[in-house]
Amino acid sequence: MTTVNDLLRVTESGLYCERGDFYVDPWRRVPRAVITHAHADHARAGSDRYLCSAAGKLVLRTRIGGGSPIDTLRPGESVSLNGVQVSLHPAGHLLGSSQVRIEHGGVRWVVSGDYKLQDDPTCDRFEHVACDVFVTESTFGLPVYRWQSPERIAAEINDWWRANRDAGRASVLLAYALGKAQRLAAMVDPTIGPIVAHGAVMKLVEAYRASGVRLPSIDRVPAGARRVGDGRALVIAPPSVLGSSWLKLFGESSVAMASGWMMLRGVRRRRGFDRGFSVSDHADFPGLLAAIDASGARRVLVTHGFSDTLARHLRESRGLEASVLPTRFTGEASPDAAAAADDGEPDANGDGDGDRPDADALTTS
Amino acid sequence: MKRFTDLYWRLDATTSTNDKVAALRDYFAAAPPDDAACALAVLSGARQLRSVSTSQLRNWAAEATGLPAWLIEECYAHVGDLAETLALLLPDAAPDAAPGTDLGLAEMMQRTIHDLRATTDDHKREVVADVWRRLAPRERIVWHKLLTGGCRVGVSRTLVARALAEVAGVDPAEMAHRLMGAAAADGPAYVRLLASESTEADSRRPYPFFLAAALDRTTVEHVAEDLGAVGDWQSEWKWDGMRAQLVRRGEAATVWSRGEELVNEAFPEIAEAGGSLPPGTVLDGELLAVSDTTLLPFAMLSKRASRKRVTNKVLADIPCVFVAYDLLEEGGVDLRELPLAERRRRLEALVPVPFTDRLASLPVQPAHLFLSPLVAGGSWAELAALRAEARGRGVEGLMLKRRSSPYGVGRTRGDWWKWKVEPLEIDAVLLYAQAGHGRRAGLHSDYTLGLWDGDQLVTVAKAYSGLADAEIVELDRIVRATTLEKHGPVRICRPTVVLQLAFEGVSLSTRHKSGVAVRFPRIVRWRRDKEPAEAGTLADLRRMIVAT
């Protein structure tokens, strides 16, 4: 929990720094929003003024639309907001994702946003930032979640794609349209066949390219097409296409889901995908612990996921002052709602931006 | 072990019957006979004694991972499958251990499972730790399931029979029959199974059971429309007992349950009564527990069935009868292709005394072998009226069997129908929820429901099934959002959801706080139109005891 004496506290509009008069990832319209990354549950349109990383500006603009000014900081560059020092540091979650470091009166807070420690060719690597209070996510905060190396996952996806291609089947890979989709495109071996993407993915592919990220050649699915590809393509699309007629464009296909939740057999089976690849842009359990340990923080606030469990484990195993930071989303993400969208960011207020599928349509597929 | 692991995951990855049969066929065509016999036993759901308890496994996993027990339990509650939870938690296998050390399924089960039964806990732990070091996570899951005796893979006997029939090049029905009973205990027996050399065990073998399907539409008008002329159908009571075959061949008679277990020891008087039948006779029927004057509840019959050996006291307290409704073999000749009407005529000649629910009036006492009487109804309306009396008679409804039909294999729709009495129903409030297992792992899909007792809600039933997958996902979100307290895997929820509960009967019970127990509770639908305050009361439920 947070108290009024803390540098940051939870208010109706989100995590608020009173002394600096700014919010981090507010869920309502506020005068000044510091944004960790551009996923819908962290970056909402309508605030008067935004601050994010220089690398993430174009992606954020794509998501929140025109109008409000977006200020940027380079990695580690610091700005004073009403006397509070604010700097942004790479979080490794997706292009431009940042941890927000806030310092005032000798007390240092780091709000990590969503993060991962694994290598990702489409964004800067997570940076360990020393602090007194660390605010961490816990989407995959159970020890059953341990990721395989990105090379291993890439090899699995390549093998699946190659086998489908040889059998004349399209390979449909479902992934969140922002971040995961571009990362996957950069991970796979583009010599296997053509890569095509859904319009929702393409919009962000262009924002990534404009931001200087190198991606392989990716074709847009032409509007009004009746048949696309000849069974050799890798098709990257958001999960919302599942059960829609859009999928029929590709003829016979194998449908795979790329999500950390695919670790669990029950989730894989229930959702009826042909394949599941356990690839996530969130830290796995060892990753969370490594980040928390490296922060040197004595106090840890856990949010978004298995908060109770991780907080208790941190208290018992490390003697840390760890507690749950309540968010607007009471309860926790369920694997199904989350696997439907991306890795555990249920769009609780339902004002989704089109990437988010209707959960009911998904579960019946 | 790798070959069987591959089979397990191939079966797991598909819902297509043809793909499953293909996976099984590929496995059986390639596996050595010893392994194949072992796999066949596992796939048939053969029970085996546990050599290691799940709490030992949890403890050893806690040691191996350095994680506290509560955290392992949290993981289990989330994953919903202990075998998988532990496989995911354990450190990765040693990279140098894997190649060249793969044991066949039979040897693996002998060395790392069966042999553990007679050894010390310390030795068990060494063996388990060694296996953990050698197996990859996907193999560990399968091995854990074998070790704890819970390796269910979702293939029916019919599918196994189809696959083996393809391997052996015989008719699937023939293979289904060969597979009855203890089909292949070891490699040589498996070879004989495929080659169809008859064995001693064959002489006791029952036939594959023909199973009835539930009618899709149960109103009298629908039944008349769907089934046609009432005269084409034979109707009997649907007994609330245990399906069984009584096989009299050679010197002795054997009693087989539907699970193809030999239950002579649990029902010695039935086996003895079977000895009075002419050799070469097979009856299909129902085991029922009775007192002098009335049918005893199913729970009493279960008490008998669960015994390896029954004492004289149990024999006297819970007498049992076999009520025959079909004749499958006479004079050593398989009659299954004959029309039911003809089989029935021969059955009545062989077992003439009909069973009635007024037992004191039975002409022969004590006796153990009866004929299941026909329920006479000149019209569907008359039958419907009799069906409505079923609950009062202690039966579950009516069976409708086409007079011209042969005796089939498995649950083939069309000739045998269950026309069960309509269930009792009440609207109840969701109070606790627990994460499900298997396909529903991680989703709160097991519900404890309550009714009003004054201004309190008291729990009356647990129900697992009946909602659509999409509804379960939606309820899961509500459960998470309305959780008041967590007790391990169980969440206590703020009462907000009303579910319509169906059940077969109500009885007094000292085991439940509410003082009543319902039989076969399941969820019919989500009453989104109702507030918890509008749900049923305990008094409503108690009134149903009187009604039954």
Side-chain angles (χ1 to χ4, degrees), chain B residues 85-133:
Chain B
T85 305
L86 299 184
L88 292 171
L89 287 175
L90 289 162
D92 290 337
D96 55 342
T101 56
D102 183 43
L103 298 180
L105 179 65
E107 195 177 356
M108 189 76 184
M109 286 192 72
Q110 188 63 44
R111 276 210 223 163
T112 68
I113 298 176
H114 300 317
D115 286 353
L116 294 196
R117 237 171 259 146
T119 181
T120 62
D121 284 351
D122 280 343
H123 184 241
K124 286 180 187 178
R125 177 201 195 144
E126 276 171 36
V127 172
V128 169
D130 181 56
V131 174
W132 280 345
R133 270 193 297 276

Side-chain angles (χ1 to χ4, degrees), chain A residues 142-146 261 263-266 268-270 285 306 308-309 312-313 316 330-337 359-360 363-364, chain B residues 8-9 12 67-68 70-71 74-75 78-79 81 84-85 88-92 145 438-441 443 470 473 476-477 480 486 491:
Chain A
L142 284 181
V144 289
Y145 292 105
R146 287 184 296 158
W261 300 113
M263 280 287 285
L264 299 192
R265 172 170 164 255
R268 283 199 304 273
R269 288 194 350 160
R270 179 153 75 228
F285 190 76
F306 295 96
D308 293 324
T309 308
R312 178 175 171 191
H313 185 61
E316 293 186 3
T330 52
E332 65 217 36
S334 78
D336 287 76
D360 286 350
T363 49
T364 52
Chain B
Y8 179 90
W9 289 111
D12 185 69
L67 295 171
W70 69 266
L71 187 51
E74 291 268 326
C75 289
H78 173 67
V79 175
D81 179 323
E84 183 181 3
T85 305
L88 292 171
L89 287 175
L90 289 162
D92 290 337
K145 287 180 178 290
R439 216 169 67 84
R440 290 173 174 177
L443 272 185
V473 171
D476 176 73
R477 259 178 252 154
R480 289 169 196 270
K486 281 210 265 182
R491 285 165 184 258

Side-chain angles (χ1 to χ4, degrees), chain B residues 1 57 81-88 90 113 128 131-132 135 137 139-151:
Chain B
M1 188 67 193
L57 276 183
D81 179 323
L82 188 66
E84 183 181 3
T85 305
L86 299 184
L88 292 171
L90 289 162
I113 298 176
V128 169
V131 174
W132 280 345
L135 297 187
E139 289 179 287
R140 281 183 197 150
I141 294 182
V142 178
W143 182 73
H144 285 152
K145 287 180 178 290
L146 294 170
L147 182 67
T148 55
C151 196

